[in-house]
Amino acid sequence: MSDSQDAETSGKVPTRIRRLPRGPRPEAVPTAVGTACTLIGLMDIVFPRLRHSRVHALAELLPGAVSSLAAAASIVVGLLLLMLAHGLKRRKRRAWVAAVGLLPVGAAAQLLYRHSVIGMVLSLVLMGVLIRYRAEFAALPDPRSRWMALANFVIMGAVSVTVGLLIVRSHPDAIEGSPSLGEQLEHVLWGLFGFEGPVDYRHGADYTVGYSLGALGLLTVATTAYLAFRPEHPAARLTAEDEERLRGLLAAHGRRDSLGHFALRRDKAVVFSPTGKAAVCYRVVSGVMLASGDPVGDVEAWPGAIARFMEEARAHSWTPAVMGCSETGGEVWTRETGLDALELGDEAIVDVADFTLSGRAMRNVRQMVKRIERAGYQTRVRRATELSPGELEAIRRAAADWRGTDTERGFSMALGRIGDQADGDAVIATAHKAADEGAEEGPYGDLKAVLHFVPWGRDGMSLELMRRDRSADPGMNELLIVAALRAAPELGVERVSLNFAMFRSALARGEKLGAGPVLRGWRALLVFLSRWFQIESLYKFNAKFQPRWEPRFVVFRNTRDLPRIGLAAMQAEGFVSLALPRLLRRGRRPERRPCAHRHLTEGRELQQAA
């Protein structure tokens, strides 16, 4: 698809999001094959050994070591097939190659050890299906991480111990005596390392158990070593060339989307349209290809960038999703891809020309600001280029120390840096108060709070970060927002994007007279969730500045993908972390980064102020 083909249709600004027909469903073959692989893997592990069959009589003629090795191979192949099933469902080429190589081994093990002709036939049939539909399994591998090796070791270790206990108990007639559970567990642990344990067997069963436990231990070590030492794919990073191209697009078209500047986060990847006039920035999280905001650049070239995005998702079998796109963006995404759109919340935007502290509606803000000013606080609102390197460094360190969480939060509405030389147009608002006579100044002098705004075209700015000293008086955010709005005309700023309020319309309608039981119940659930996530408090905080509300949408493929997309979004934003616990990181020096999720910081103060 070329950019010019959709030039006439892409530029139209819609009045609402339409629920359009979804695109074609993914092929059913990979899903069915993955399910069959799971069933055969379980059969290889737990299917009982047949005792009375012609195959059993023939197998008795083979050396005893063959049967023992076949038993170990059956268990190992079964575990590996279980591990590969998810990759087959996602059409991964490497999973296909591994499954085609393992299934003949599993078929032989089914015949030689379990004496099951049916099991052998099922394995060979699945291999034939894989070969017949090999073109369906062409997805490229995901970005790699060393953390997968640790996760594999923990999970495979637990599985090996559990399966090992089943193996030890699978020959009750051959066990000598009545070993306790502790002795059986000790036998498993020794067996995983290739040594004999305290449990004794008769009739040669010790060889079968020993080979099986040793194979489990070898499988755990081999898969962990492979994941630990294989070449690591680099994480998503915005190259200097990509960043320069994006800045050129923002200079020409950055006024369209208040989230455009956040595309310059350097932990995102980017795909450009064929003409280079538009781009989509994204990050892959847990198999979800997560874009944020609208495409950057000329709206007439958006279809080309979106097509490249979808091609990349199909090539890797990632789940495509867009968080926080505008109404225009949602219309183009749904039209070009057949995806669906759901309203996620509203963005608070204040028009500087209309802002005033006068009137009854602004009384609470007016009183709070005057009270703080009487307490001796002063504000400064400047472009980042106007601050000295020493001031910028102090602000960076203060913002990092005042962060209320161990993990950095932010993805769709956070930049990830303050005072970068390339972001000279950013606006920094600071609150200052000299220490009382006889009192010691804090580590950052008279600095008490920071607000960081990124450019929104040439005449706007978008709030990115709010941080304050916990010892400062409540109301620092209100003070600095008002100060920034007052200074906006001198900075050439006509509109300011504040925070994003999730599910704002449901909260607003649910508290009105005459709201139905469903709407009231939905609002009650959101209020309950606000104990952990700033949903209601953030909406009320934003509403105090009398903004206009602009809806934002999530774009997704189908409803069953929403939980997965939600989890990926929470990981990207920093609410769900797969990092080691703090106790295990005691010896590591934490990395300090100055960014925060712009609409999910200062939680306690927002709740008090609202």
Side-chain angles (χ1 to χ4, degrees):
M1 180 187 303
S2 66
D3 297 344
S4 59
Q5 289 175 331
D6 293 280
E8 296 181 0
T9 58
S10 303
K12 184 178 179 181
V13 178
T15 57
R16 63 186 179 90
I17 287 290
R18 297 177 296 168
R19 192 177 184 85
L20 299 177
R22 294 172 183 156
R25 292 179 179 271
E27 293 294 335
V29 171
T31 301
V33 166
T35 302
C37 188
T38 301
L39 296 176
I40 291 178
L42 290 173
M43 184 176 63
D44 286 341
I45 297 172
V46 303
F47 193 76
R49 185 183 185 190
L50 301 179
R51 293 291 181 181
H52 304 288
S53 66
R54 293 181 181 179
V55 178
H56 175 265
L58 294 174
E60 292 297 327
L61 301 176
L62 298 173
V66 173
S67 179
S68 299
L69 290 172
S74 179
I75 295 170
V76 170
V77 169
L79 287 174
L80 288 174
L81 289 177
L82 290 177
M83 296 169 64
L84 294 172
H86 181 65
L88 290 174
K89 289 181 179 180
R90 295 183 60 204
R91 304 185 296 109
K92 295 297 183 180
R93 186 67 178 179
R94 289 185 177 179
W96 179 89
V97 172
V100 169
L102 287 171
L103 283 170
V105 180
Q110 284 283 347
L111 184 65
L112 296 176
Y113 173 65
R114 303 191 186 278
H115 315 316
S116 171
V117 176
I118 296 177
M120 179 192 70
V121 170
L122 290 177
S123 296
L124 295 178
V125 168
L126 179 58
M127 184 181 70
V129 172
L130 284 170
I131 295 174
R132 168 65 177 81
Y133 292 98
R134 57 186 177 275
E136 299 289 336
F137 301 89
L140 301 174
D142 292 340
R144 299 167 179 171
S145 171
R146 302 298 185 197
W147 288 106
M148 292 185 64
L150 178 61
N152 179 84
F153 179 77
V154 173
I155 295 173
M156 282 297 299
V159 170
S160 297
V161 171
T162 303
V163 175
L165 283 174
L166 295 176
I167 294 172
V168 169
R169 296 180 176 185
S170 63
H171 301 80
D173 298 336
I175 295 179
E176 294 185 356
S178 300
S180 64
L181 178 61
E183 291 176 325
Q184 295 177 25
L185 182 60
E186 182 182 353
H187 191 87
V188 171
L189 295 177
W190 281 112
L192 292 176
F193 288 96
F195 300 101
E196 294 185 4
V199 181
D200 294 322
Y201 293 89
R202 298 184 297 271
H203 311 306
D206 53 339
Y207 289 103
T208 300
V209 173
Y211 278 128
S212 300
L213 293 178
L216 283 175
L218 182 61
L219 175 64
T220 302
V221 172
T223 54
T224 301
Y226 169 74
L227 293 173
F229 296 108
R230 66 179 177 171
E232 185 175 10
H233 284 189
R237 288 291 182 269
L238 199 67
T239 66
E241 181 183 355
D242 291 338
E243 184 174 340
E244 184 178 357
R245 294 177 66 184
L246 285 173
R247 289 186 183 277
L249 295 177
L250 288 172
H253 307 281
R255 193 180 190 279
R256 179 177 293 277
D257 186 16
S258 64
L259 307 187
H261 200 84
F262 299 123
L264 298 175
R265 280 186 67 101
R266 288 166 184 161
D267 56 359
K268 290 183 178 180
V270 60
V271 289
F272 289 90
S273 66
T275 60
K277 295 181 179 180
V280 176
C281 295
Y282 67 92
R283 186 195 298 171
V284 179
V285 183
S286 298
V288 177
M289 191 175 182
L290 199 63
S292 60
D294 291 343
V296 178
D298 188 353
V299 69
E300 296 183 354
W302 285 5
I306 290 173
R308 287 282 179 87
F309 177 88
M310 297 301 293
E311 288 171 5
E312 191 79 5
R314 281 191 294 270
H316 293 83
S317 192
W318 291 329
T319 299
V322 185
M323 297 294 296
C325 66
S326 69
E327 197 168 8
T328 304
E331 177 72 14
V332 177
W333 274 101
T334 55
R335 185 187 65 228
E336 297 298 328
T337 63
L339 299 179
D340 216 340
L342 180 69
E343 185 170 341
L344 188 62
D346 294 88
E347 179 185 14
I349 298 176
V350 177
D351 293 311
V352 174
D354 299 332
F355 178 75
T356 177
L357 286 179
S358 303
R360 182 178 181 82
M362 299 296 295
R363 184 177 64 178
N364 290 338
V365 177
R366 183 172 62 249
Q367 291 176 346
M368 179 172 287
V369 170
K370 288 183 177 180
R371 177 179 59 80
I372 297 174
E373 289 176 341
R374 286 196 299 269
Y377 286 89
Q378 297 179 344
T379 60
R380 301 173 190 169
V381 181
R382 295 165 288 176
R383 296 280 185 187
T385 52
E386 299 174 19
L387 278 72
S388 67
E391 287 181 292
L392 286 174
E393 181 59 27
I395 289 172
R396 290 192 194 99
R397 290 189 290 107
D401 286 346
W402 295 341
R403 187 176 65 212
T405 58
D406 289 338
T407 57
E408 191 63 72
R409 291 181 175 177
F411 167 68
S412 57
M413 299 178 185
L415 185 60
R417 57 185 183 268
I418 294 180
D420 191 279
Q421 196 171 21
D423 302 317
D425 289 341
V427 175
I428 299 177
T430 54
H432 304 263
K433 183 183 179 182
D436 296 333
E437 187 175 352
E440 294 185 3
E441 279 195 341
Y444 307 108
D446 62 353
L447 182 63
K448 298 298 179 184
V450 176
L451 259 62
H452 184 229
F453 297 86
V454 298
W456 174 12
R458 297 182 179 179
D459 59 354
M461 60 184 185
S462 186
L463 178 59
E464 189 261 345
L465 174 144
M466 299 188 298
R467 295 281 171 81
R468 74 173 181 92
D469 188 341
R470 297 300 175 182
S471 64
D473 294 335
M476 290 292 101
N477 290 332
E478 287 91 336
L479 174 67
L480 287 180
I481 288 176
V482 170
L485 290 170
R486 286 172 169 171
E490 298 180 5
L491 298 171
V493 173
E494 299 178 1
R495 52 214 172 118
V496 178
S497 170
L498 298 179
N499 302 291
F500 172 74
M502 188 173 290
F503 305 120
R504 181 208 63 91
S505 59
L507 289 169
R509 293 197 303 267
E511 64 184 355
K512 290 183 178 179
L513 183 65
V518 175
L519 192 55
R520 289 201 303 269
W522 176 227
R523 182 183 182 278
L525 176 62
L526 293 176
V527 172
F528 174 75
L529 294 176
S530 295
R531 299 180 181 182
W532 297 277
F533 305 99
Q534 298 166 40
I535 300 175
E536 183 187 29
S537 58
L538 192 60
Y539 155 58
K540 291 185 175 180
F541 176 83
N542 291 332
K544 292 193 297 185
F545 298 95
Q546 302 299 306
R548 57 182 171 90
W549 300 99
E550 294 290 338
R552 290 279 173 175
F553 299 84
V554 55
V555 177
F556 56 96
R557 185 167 53 192
N558 49 57
T559 305
R560 66 174 177 269
D561 288 337
L562 284 176
R564 186 179 181 188
I565 293 171
L567 178 61
M570 293 181 72
Q571 287 180 252
E573 298 289 359
F575 294 106
V576 176
S577 175
L578 301 181
L580 289 173
R582 182 187 293 183
L583 291 175
L584 300 179
R585 290 183 282 127
R586 201 172 273 177
R588 300 176 61 186
R589 184 177 180 180
E591 179 184 0
R592 293 189 180 275
R593 294 168 58 199
C595 84
H597 198 320
R598 69 168 184 168
H599 62 277
L600 290 162
T601 53
E602 300 295 337
R604 293 180 181 175
E605 181 174 350
L606 289 184
Q607 292 173 358
Q608 295 171 357

